[in-house]
Amino acid sequence: MTGADWAALRRAARDAMSRAYAPYSGYAVGAAALADDGRTVTGCNVENASYGIGLCAECGLVSQLQLTGGGRLTHFVCVDGDGEVLVPCGRCRQLLYEFGGPEMLLETPAGILPLSEMLPQAFGPDHLTR
């Protein structure tokens, strides 16, 4: 699955971003990804009055992936409140590694990159089975 429709993924991420709950920071985020079976999964950030327990858009996306049948993520994009492409935070890169692996492709402001370049020498599930 090498030829992703990145424009469609950005549209899905922007649609998800429009549903974000960000009353405290005002920083809405949406994410969209393709699963290995062709499904598109999305997520938006959801803040909480206690700040530290808010959920990133990637958390919602991975939850939707599991809820709708599991699988692996192959292509991913994240957008801010203006619809501009941004990169996931470090915590979310680790989450994406768990469900997409080093070969998952991300659209970034610098272009399309594999997750292995965004999270080099990542710790993952294989380390726990050794």
Side-chain angles (χ1 to χ4, degrees):
M1 183 179 243
T2 57
D5 184 347
W6 290 102
L9 274 179
R10 280 190 305 279
R11 283 192 300 275
R14 289 176 181 137
D15 183 58
M17 176 270 301
S18 73
R19 292 170 174 77
Y21 178 72
Y24 308 106
S25 71
Y27 194 76
V29 177
L34 290 179
D36 56 359
D37 64 1
R39 277 176 299 142
T40 298
V41 290
T42 58
C44 63
N45 61 320
V46 178
E47 294 180 347
N48 183 282
S50 65
Y51 292 97
I53 62 170
L55 298 173
C56 295
E58 295 86 343
C59 295
L61 181 146
V62 167
S63 292
Q64 187 183 72
L65 175 73
Q66 287 303 112
L67 180 66
T68 60
R72 302 292 289 164
L73 300 174
T74 59
H75 300 76
F76 174 87
V77 65
C78 192
V79 299
D80 65 18
D82 293 324
E84 297 298 318
V85 173
L86 66 137
V87 297
C89 71
R91 171 182 166 243
C92 288
R93 291 178 199 190
Q94 184 66 43
L95 181 65
L96 292 170
Y97 186 85
E98 182 90 11
F99 291 90
E103 67 282 349
M104 186 187 79
L105 298 176
L106 290 86
E107 183 174 29
T108 75
I112 308 301
L113 298 172
L115 184 55
S116 60
E117 287 189 32
M118 301 296 295
L119 191 64
Q121 301 182 41
F123 178 84
D126 292 343
H127 290 93
L128 299 175
T129 60
R130 292 184 187 164

